[in-house]
Amino acid sequence: LSTIIQKHGYLLPVVHAEADYSAPLWLGDTIEIQLIVEHIGISSLTFLAHFLKANQTRAGTVKTVHVSIDGRTRKKIPLPEKLRAKMTTLYKKDH
């Protein structure tokens, strides 16, 4: 993702973030992060990240919304088609 952004001159800043914590994590815990494309808008992407403990217990979920902007003008732009196509292949309606 960073290569695409650097190469094509657009940015995807976070415009909204929220988190829900459901189980403690301790220093030294091994976790798995499942990143899911939750929504693809005209100029935005929404990701969910589920944090799972080694026993697959969900420790928390983070949701971030990113908006596509021109790297030079900082104005909102539609999601670039290559990015939209890639995110569409990762999009899961059932999450």
Side-chain angles (χ1 to χ4, degrees), residues 32-62:
E32 174 184 331
I33 301 172
Q34 296 176 341
L35 185 62
I36 299 165
V37 178
E38 182 188 50
H39 178 76
I40 302 170
I42 293 171
S43 60
S44 67
L45 290 170
T46 303
F47 295 104
L48 285 178
H50 298 300
F51 293 77
L52 304 175
K53 297 172 82 156
N55 65 2
Q56 296 299 294
T57 299
R58 186 176 295 174
T61 300
V62 172

Side-chain angles (χ1 to χ4, degrees), residues 18-83:
E18 58 188 72
D20 292 308
Y21 304 97
S22 48
L25 290 172
W26 303 100
L27 187 61
D29 280 355
T30 299
I31 62 169
E32 174 184 331
I33 301 172
Q34 296 176 341
L35 185 62
I36 299 165
V37 178
E38 182 188 50
H39 178 76
I40 302 170
I42 293 171
S43 60
S44 67
L45 290 170
T46 303
F47 295 104
L48 285 178
H50 298 300
F51 293 77
L52 304 175
K53 297 172 82 156
N55 65 2
Q56 296 299 294
T57 299
R58 186 176 295 174
T61 300
V62 172
K63 179 178 187 174
T64 58
V65 179
H66 303 257
V67 171
S68 178
I69 64 172
D70 182 284
R72 190 175 39 80
T73 66
R74 303 297 200 247
K75 301 273 186 202
K76 183 168 75 169
I77 59 172
L79 288 173
E81 200 48 49
K82 282 187 178 182
L83 176 64

